[in-house]
Amino acid sequence: MTLEGTMKELIEAMTSNPDEFIRLISEKSDGFSQEYAAFLDSIDPLKGLYELFELKGLTPFAGHSLGPVFKPAVKEIERINELQASQLHEGHFPETREHGGNWFDCDIEEEAIKAMQAMLGFSEPCEFLYTQEGLSSNLGRLVDTFYRPTLMDWQSGKTGFCHLGKEFFSDQAVIESVLKRGIQTAKGFGVFSASKPAPSPSSLTLKILPDEKGLYSEEAIIDFVKKHAGQMQILHLSDIVFSTGQRLDITRILTELKDTIEQYHIIVGLDLAHTVGNRTLNLCELPVTYAVGCGYKHICGSAGSGFGIYVNKNTDLEKYPPIQGWKAAASDKVFDLIDGYDSEIMMQKGAWAFRCSNPSPIALAPVKTYIKTMSQIGWDKLNAKSECLTRYMHALIQQHLGDKIEWITPDDPKKRGAMLVFRVKGISDVRQIETLLKTANELGTFEIDVRPPNNIRVTAHYGYTQFTDIHKMVARLEQVVHLLLEQKKQESLILTSIKQGKESVFFEQQVGKTAPSSLQHASTDKEQESLTLTARRESGFFEQKVEKKGPSSLQHTQANTGGCNP
């Protein structure tokens, strides 16, 4: 095939067929070189997205935790501020929509709701509400609404809250809080007695445990829920697990549990913190009651940015009434009743029934601007580009560190998102790697992050990560890992030498030789000190050589292909 034909196939595959993309570059002898990475960046059909992000020095590979600033969101915030400065109250009303206004309904703006619908796949606009609150606040509001065990439930033991055993701390804290409130309410109604004391919150949690790598089995989840269904009020799952990058097959799990969920009237909720902006869902096909997400990871909002809530349109809100404020009233009718109240104009369906107070248009600008911008491109293209970057990064790490690492994230693309997680064999404190990658180096500075017990997390983002970024990051990662393993080797040699020296002195004393004089003791101590200092000097010399010369095989590849820019 001609170069032009190959280029055309690569361009098409980059936004439609990750399998074909990785096949094409794997067939080339220099497909994973620095030079070819630059070529891929040059033909990337979505390379224009890179200019939409504010990047200053530190190259982000931890967008699963906090992404860089999204420039269009900053412009939108400026537009909102300008409108308030010039027109004050008028910004609340639909007439100012084209100038960043209509603040009164900015949380249910039609275009922004449709954009979110394209990513999450809910069926009606009323099922999603943008919120200025973050994930934990939203989760607390929702589960406090839906955790409503009856007297019969308390008597029969159907009061459990089921979740992943290694769920994020904040989710577990919210669940604990809601269970405490539920127990306290039951106490107030005299549910418990001396013969049947009140339970502890922990006794009401049903935790699904992972394997030694932190990975969950879909079969085990299904079996666990079926076994404990009679004890369950709520089943709360994460679509993508924060610590391992594993993506659960939520469709399979909930499809197989559909009859059980209906039979036992189980409320089902999803934590989509690591899904939104990363992968798509089709909520309309799932028996999910509620879902929450995060606006500052893959969506690149400012730290702590709000996101929104999903509530299924078929949820019985007569049985589970939400807290409502004046915003839950019909916008075109509420002002006529501003000094009164009429329950007839209150929303009673989906997430919109959870509207309460005026949302800040500035607080919602990051998530809404990002979702609208990316939806115009198409999530199918963005997901394909993301998967091409992820497979490229996985292949490069495997090529140059394969024998030194243990992969945690499943290889199957259907069982993960963009985040890859691995451990380095022989290094227990991986925070050293995180720190050294941020240290100034000719290859650049890179942000990754770590999670217990010793997991390293890296993410390539379809918007702001380039193939050359990945290549340089892996080169520096290989360099750092090699350095730390050599340092550990040197430390081991020092300890072994000291131990052998002590054993030698002990042996001489035991075989009855002349008792060593204080001078001999001093001599032995000096030899050991000299040995330690020599080993440390060698270790320091090695570190300098690694930093200055960078002997990694990946850097040799770069040298042969033109090298890296400083």
Side-chain angles (χ1 to χ4, degrees), residues 210-226:
D211 64 18
E212 66 280 358
K213 285 187 173 183
L215 301 177
Y216 295 90
S217 158
E218 279 94 0
E219 291 83 0
I221 293 172
I222 292 166
D223 291 344
F224 186 93
V225 173
K226 286 182 176 179

Side-chain angles (χ1 to χ4, degrees), residues 144-214:
D144 198 43
T145 299
F146 295 122
Y147 185 76
R148 286 286 180 267
T150 64
L151 175 60
M152 187 179 296
D153 291 332
W154 284 110
Q155 292 172 338
S156 67
K158 191 182 185 305
T159 53
F161 201 120
C162 182
H163 63 83
L164 301 179
K166 293 293 184 179
E167 187 56 270
F168 186 59
F169 185 99
S170 192
D171 288 46
Q172 295 199 50
V174 166
I175 291 167
E176 177 90 358
S177 302
V178 168
L179 290 174
K180 283 181 181 178
R181 288 163 60 84
I183 293 168
Q184 194 60 36
T185 299
K187 281 182 180 179
F189 286 106
V191 172
F192 310 115
S193 63
S195 60
K196 187 178 180 181
S200 65
S202 60
S203 69
L204 300 183
T205 56
L206 301 166
K207 296 187 178 184
I208 304 167
L209 299 179
D211 64 18
E212 66 280 358
K213 285 187 173 183

